[in-house]
Amino acid sequence: MSKIKVGILGASRGMDFSERILKSYDYACLTAVCETYDVLRTKTENYLQENGIPAKCYVDYDEFLDSGIDAVIIANYANEHCEYAVRALEKGIHVYSEVQPVQTLAEACRLCDAVEKSGRVYAYGENYCYSNGAVALKELYEAGVIGEAVCMEGTFINDCSPKWHMLTRGIRDHWRNYVPSTFYCTHSIGPLFFATGRRAVCVNGLEIPRMDYMAEGGARSGSAGMEVMELDNGGIARSLNGNLKHPYEASFRVIGSKGTLEGTTSHLDSLRYTGGFSFDEQEIALAHRAYRYRPEGTRGGVENGDFAAFGYFIGAILGDEEGKKYSIDVYRALDMALPGLLAFRSIVDKGVPYEVPDLRDKIVREKYRSDHYCTDPRTPAEFRLPTSKNGTPEVEEGVYEAVRKRFADTVLRPGMQ
């Protein structure tokens, strides 16, 4: 069987896939990279040459798509994935999209249309759904161990302020500087919905104001956000995500009608079960879940997710039923992402609840095709939202100059080009 030819858009995160996943993979190989940032593209070309990888670098995305690739990993700016995914699908190319899938409801409608029209596989690379704990949560839930989900909680805390200069490079309109506090929500929501098959039908949002430690790096958004959701089965859920002064945490808890299953950062390879008449606690040790098309690599923790998610994507392309089941399709991706977009609308509107549409229904899509509301500064004024509940703060250019200098001093010194 010939290998599936894979192209990568966005060499920063994308080349991580080449180094760890594609390098010795039996079912797919890297043949093209698209990167517009000159310094990074040069480093990528050197990497490919030094490692004997016969892949070509491109600046132009259309030339990249026409290079003969069968599938593309979308790993550019997190709020720009939709446009590039749609263009790939229109050319008959399978899409593996990094988080997030879209930044507006209008984009969500367009993405669903493109996937359906293309007949190609769209897979969402939400790696937090594929820790051994999250996958076991799904299997145990489907087996009825805790009954029907009543209340769910997910948390993703990752204080990026110490490395903000590395992430944003002092670019004023880098996506991280202006996306809503609730935007990056699928690391916390994803495992809950992946495991239970539930989705939100209504959401309220709450926001922590922009903290000084984020303002110093040029961020213009609230520093953390929360989505409070009503579920399609009448249950409730909450998700917390953002830059908080707290140790890194990725955790989930699902309380069912018969018991509770939960996992935490330090126990993503085990689950804690609570149930029975006396609510006895029990640690459930987890075995690694093997899969035919899964690349070799780490077998534990969240990092396991990159290998598993990509393997299920390839399995789905090859028509494998297990790949189709565990790969996250466009509709489930939007189930995970839309609550974050609409929670921010709730925040801006002083807590008014927002309906979360099910875009599987083409009739429902018609209501949202012109809904372009977002915080992106390139958005027309009529659709542009403030970047926080307190408006869009003014940031002097000197702040970004200082970040650019720190980035240059850290990364672009001789020997690291």
Side-chain angles (χ1 to χ4, degrees):
M1 182 184 72
S2 59
K3 291 188 176 186
I4 294 170
K5 297 176 182 177
V6 177
I8 291 173
L9 170 65
S12 180
R13 165 65 169 151
M15 288 308 294
D16 185 43
F17 278 88
S18 175
E19 174 64 29
R20 298 190 301 121
I21 296 172
L22 288 170
K23 202 169 185 179
S24 302
Y25 188 39
D26 291 336
Y27 298 97
C29 61
L30 178 66
T31 63
V33 179
C34 186
E35 175 58 58
T36 59
Y37 182 39
D38 292 344
V39 173
L40 187 53
R41 190 173 60 255
T42 298
K43 291 177 68 175
T44 301
E45 289 171 336
N46 292 339
Y47 166 83
L48 295 171
Q49 185 175 8
E50 291 167 1
N51 287 272
I53 301 173
K56 183 177 178 181
C57 284
Y58 295 84
V59 177
D60 184 85
Y61 187 62
D62 288 318
E63 289 182 11
F64 163 78
L65 292 179
D66 291 335
S67 67
I69 59 175
D70 303 306
V72 59
I73 297 171
I74 305 290
N76 59 330
Y77 279 6
N79 66 329
E80 296 180 2
H81 290 166
C82 177
E83 172 66 26
Y84 294 93
V86 168
R87 287 165 64 182
L89 291 163
E90 288 175 345
K91 295 207 173 205
I93 295 169
H94 303 287
V95 170
Y96 179 96
S97 178
E98 280 278 80
V99 295
Q100 303 290 83
V102 298
Q103 75 166 345
T104 70
L105 273 293
E107 285 186 352
C109 296
R110 186 182 175 206
L111 183 60
C112 288
D113 293 343
V115 172
E116 292 167 357
K117 185 176 180 180
S118 72
R120 293 299 187 263
V121 172
Y122 174 97
Y124 186 51
E126 180 41 82
N127 54 359
Y128 280 70
C129 291
Y130 297 101
S131 68
N132 290 336
V135 172
L137 174 66
K138 177 179 178 65
E139 293 174 339
L140 291 168
Y141 183 80
E142 290 177 347
V145 170
I146 61 170
E148 181 71 10
V150 175
C151 179
M152 306 195 294
E153 296 177 285
T155 298
F156 177 66
I157 297 174
N158 186 18
D159 178 21
C160 291
S161 59
K163 58 181 179 181
W164 204 248
H165 62 293
M166 302 282 286
L167 296 171
T168 67
R169 306 197 295 269
I171 301 170
R172 174 181 286 272
D173 287 336
H174 190 282
W175 67 273
R176 290 180 183 271
N177 282 329
Y178 63 77
V179 292
S181 55
T182 55
F183 178 76
Y184 209 74
C185 65
T186 69
H187 285 345
S188 49
I189 292 178
L192 304 176
F193 289 1
F194 177 73
T196 65
R198 300 267 63 93
R199 58 176 299 274
V201 295
C202 183
V203 64
N204 288 74
L206 297 167
E207 179 179 87
I208 292 170
R210 184 180 64 149
M211 298 287 99
D212 289 345
Y213 54 84
M214 296 303 298
E216 289 168 359
R220 304 194 293 277
S221 307
S223 293
M226 180 178 288
E227 302 83 39
V228 180
M229 298 163 279
E230 180 182 351
L231 304 177
D232 57 347
N233 69 343
I236 58 175
R238 73 98 178 136
S239 163
L240 171 66
N241 54 275
N243 294 277
L244 296 172
K245 288 301 177 184
H246 176 82
Y248 168 85
E249 179 180 341
S251 61
F252 52 78
R253 176 166 60 179
V254 178
I255 302 174
S257 55
K258 298 194 297 184
T260 297
L261 285 167
E262 56 189 317
T264 66
T265 307
S266 58
H267 294 92
L268 286 175
D269 290 319
S270 68
L271 287 178
R272 183 181 298 110
Y273 168 75
T274 308
F277 180 76
S278 59
F279 295 103
D280 294 330
E281 290 191 2
Q282 176 186 350
E283 289 290 331
I284 302 175
L286 307 175
H288 171 71
R289 190 178 193 282
Y291 175 58
R292 175 182 177 184
Y293 297 108
R294 183 190 184 279
E296 288 301 316
T298 183
R299 293 175 178 268
V302 172
E303 202 174 73
N304 173 67
D306 287 331
F307 296 90
F310 188 77
Y312 289 125
F313 169 57
I314 296 300
I317 291 174
L318 296 175
D320 178 71
E321 291 303 317
E322 189 174 352
K324 293 177 184 178
K325 175 183 177 179
Y326 283 91
S327 184
I328 300 171
D329 66 18
V330 66
Y331 310 113
R332 290 191 290 169
L334 295 173
D335 288 342
M336 298 172 186
L338 293 187
L341 301 185
L342 291 164
F344 187 68
R345 301 275 283 274
S346 169
I347 290 167
V348 171
D349 286 345
K350 310 300 182 185
V352 173
Y354 267 73
E355 176 188 13
V356 182
D358 185 350
L359 297 183
R360 295 167 180 81
D361 188 331
K362 294 181 181 180
I363 296 176
V364 171
R365 285 180 217 164
E366 296 307 313
K367 179 179 177 182
Y368 298 96
R369 289 194 182 280
S370 298
D371 190 324
H372 303 285
Y373 288 98
C374 65
T375 58
D376 193 325
R378 298 167 297 183
T379 301
E382 62 182 306
F383 294 111
R384 196 181 313 137
L385 298 173
T387 57
S388 77
K389 67 180 180 182
N390 296 320
T392 301
E394 295 291 333
V395 180
E396 295 181 359
E397 185 57 28
V399 171
Y400 297 108
E401 290 176 358
V403 175
R404 286 193 291 271
K405 183 179 186 305
R406 188 179 177 197
F407 171 68
D409 290 345
T410 304
V411 178
L412 300 183
R413 61 181 186 269
M416 296 188 69
Q417 295 285 346

